[in-house]
Amino acid sequence: HAIHRNKRPRRSDCIIHFNITDKTTTILLYIMGLSPEDLSLVQTSWAKVVPIASVAADLFYTKLFELDPELRPLFPSDLADQKKKLMAMISVAVDGLTDLEALVPAVQDLGRRHAKYYKVTAPMFDTVGAALLDTLEKGLGEGWDEEHKEAWTLVYGVLSKTMIDAGEESTAAVVDEKKEEEEVTA
């Protein structure tokens, strides 16, 4: 079955939880609803952002804290290193879209760390996604259109869902371990 650009699967239809060792990247991209065109749009547009990474990072964090000022305390007062980490992680993710066997475990680990150490919740990912799309729109200017927005929305949706699921599984496992410990000591 071919994926048609006008027949995108809804985010909720995308299969996120999978065993990557049993699938090829091509099959996984199909399951996730990512077409070769989506990959090209995301990767070529990101290549245009990389030279303005510093500006893009400024735009991102300005928009993020504008959308949700309560997120500001989760970050260090000096954002210089954080901005570099953000741009590097997005670059890794965008480049990794063609090597999901390497990307998915890294994204899952990132999700577990964000849930454990920063107490990041699912709604926060929506805010981050909105800030990212705004950043891309401003940073790319006339190079940004509805097709780019759709492709980035789909890619971000898949990656954020992967992080959320891993974080929630990790958090649930910790809760289960604590319950078991309490039962043993009771």
Side-chain angles (χ1 to χ4, degrees):
H1 300 271
I3 295 177
H4 302 286
R5 292 207 56 77
N6 60 352
K7 293 290 255 175
R8 288 189 177 280
R10 291 183 312 265
R11 179 176 169 183
S12 60
D13 292 337
C14 295
I15 297 171
I16 306 299
H17 191 76
F18 49 82
N19 183 344
I20 60 173
T21 59
D22 298 335
K23 311 260 188 268
T24 65
T25 297
T26 303
I27 292 170
L28 288 172
L29 293 173
Y30 173 78
I31 289 170
M32 289 185 216
L34 296 173
S35 70
E37 292 83 13
D38 292 325
L39 292 179
S40 178
L41 286 167
V42 168
Q43 291 177 327
T44 57
S45 60
W46 185 250
K48 294 174 184 172
V49 173
V50 170
I52 61 160
S54 177
V55 171
D58 289 341
L59 290 169
F60 174 83
Y61 283 105
T62 298
K63 186 65 174 183
L64 182 68
F65 301 143
E66 175 187 310
L67 292 171
D68 188 350
E70 292 182 19
L71 293 178
R72 184 62 185 97
L74 296 176
F75 296 90
S77 56
D78 181 358
L79 290 172
D81 286 341
Q82 183 64 35
K83 289 175 181 180
K84 290 175 187 171
K85 289 177 187 177
L86 172 72
M87 294 294 111
M89 187 59 217
I90 295 173
S91 291
V92 166
V94 168
D95 292 344
L97 290 171
T98 54
D99 184 8
L100 294 178
E101 288 190 40
L103 178 62
V104 170
V107 171
Q108 289 171 328
D109 185 53
L110 189 63
R112 285 188 285 272
R113 288 194 320 260
H114 277 71
K116 181 178 181 179
Y117 299 113
Y118 310 113
K119 309 299 184 227
V120 173
T121 62
M124 293 174 183
F125 283 92
D126 292 336
T127 306
V128 168
L132 176 62
L133 292 176
D134 185 76
T135 298
L136 292 165
E137 181 178 4
K138 288 176 180 167
L140 293 170
E142 291 181 16
W144 182 255
D145 58 22
E146 194 59 34
E147 278 191 311
H148 283 89
K149 182 178 180 179
E150 287 178 19
W152 272 97
T153 298
L154 186 57
V155 166
Y156 179 76
V158 168
L159 294 175
S160 65
K161 180 77 169 105
T162 302
M163 288 180 68
I164 291 165
D165 288 350
E168 288 176 351
E169 288 173 16
S170 174
T171 303
V174 169
V175 169
D176 288 344
E177 286 176 17
K178 287 182 180 178
K179 284 182 184 177
E180 287 177 17
E181 287 176 14
E182 288 173 3
E183 290 172 4
V184 169
T185 58

